[in-house]
Amino acid sequence: MIENSSNLESISYNVYSYLKVLVHIQNMSKSDAIKTLTLSSQKENSQYQLILLCKMLFTSKEKEFRPPMIGEPELVGKSDLLKWKFLPIEIVDGIPFLIVKSYTIKGRQEHAGNYLDYCLSECVWNLRKYRIPNKEEVETALKKIINSKKWNKRLDTVAINWFKNQTLSLTEPPHLQNPDIL
């Protein structure tokens, strides 16, 4: 299930694949959800996906929720990394946008299982309930991420299209017709 989410390294990151998994996980008991995440951490093909899900499913006990140690992030637009609480994503109105376009690897990357362990010990389960938004909600969130004051300057067309491409399946109604696609 988790390994079927779009990949962090991929230009094809899609918020719908994550929202679908998040809704499924949140419908489980917390203990079953943690078991599912732990099992996923043992699969090499779902490392980045699990890290992103951790950023969505947990929140910090204190003020800092450290980013995963998977390299030096390069954001889609110019900005200060400290402005983004949920690196490598930004959650806008319940929609998780990928804001990091790549990582420069310096040393050994943190294993997703270690990041999950960090979240389980240093964070708390996020009470935010995810759901599949409608087209208008997606368009509103898209405008907010594109026009965010966190960017040092207006995003260029490439960056704007980066965010629009992440929501393509969310703006097309057929995904709502088959809720049993998990």
Side-chain angles (χ1 to χ4, degrees), residues 105-148:
I105 299 172
K106 297 178 179 180
R108 176 178 266 184
Q109 290 184 309
E110 179 174 31
H111 189 274
N114 294 340
Y115 194 68
L116 176 60
D117 289 343
Y118 156 76
C119 291
L120 291 169
S121 65
E122 301 297 324
C123 300
V124 294
W125 194 253
N126 194 341
L127 297 179
R128 174 194 302 262
K129 287 299 275 183
Y130 289 95
R131 63 181 182 76
I132 307 301
N134 64 39
K135 184 176 181 176
E136 292 77 28
E137 292 168 322
V138 171
E139 290 171 359
T140 298
L142 193 55
K143 287 177 187 173
K144 286 180 182 180
I145 189 73
I146 290 169
N147 296 310
S148 174

Side-chain angles (χ1 to χ4, degrees), residues 61-178:
K61 290 179 187 174
E62 302 297 322
K63 59 183 173 189
E64 183 184 345
F65 185 6
R66 78 162 173 82
M69 294 182 283
I70 55 176
E72 181 68 31
E74 182 182 349
L75 297 176
V76 174
K78 300 293 181 203
S79 184
D80 179 2
L81 293 175
L82 297 175
K83 292 179 181 178
W84 306 96
K85 181 179 175 184
F86 292 101
L87 274 178
I89 60 170
E90 176 75 353
I91 300 170
V92 179
D93 299 339
I95 300 173
F97 290 98
L98 182 65
I99 61 171
V100 173
K101 66 179 174 181
S102 65
Y103 280 91
T104 301
I105 299 172
K106 297 178 179 180
R108 176 178 266 184
Q109 290 184 309
E110 179 174 31
H111 189 274
N114 294 340
Y115 194 68
L116 176 60
D117 289 343
Y118 156 76
C119 291
L120 291 169
S121 65
E122 301 297 324
C123 300
V124 294
W125 194 253
N126 194 341
L127 297 179
R128 174 194 302 262
K129 287 299 275 183
Y130 289 95
R131 63 181 182 76
I132 307 301
N134 64 39
K135 184 176 181 176
E136 292 77 28
E137 292 168 322
V138 171
E139 290 171 359
T140 298
L142 193 55
K143 287 177 187 173
K144 286 180 182 180
I145 189 73
I146 290 169
N147 296 310
S148 174
K149 300 269 188 237
K150 293 179 182 181
W151 302 116
N152 290 347
K153 64 178 188 174
R154 184 164 166 72
L155 295 177
D156 63 20
T157 304
V158 172
I160 291 169
N161 287 334
W162 167 273
F163 289 117
K164 286 181 178 180
N165 289 337
Q166 293 178 33
T167 65
L168 287 180
S169 69
L170 281 174
T171 57
E172 307 209 2
H175 76 279
L176 296 175
Q177 297 173 4
N178 186 5

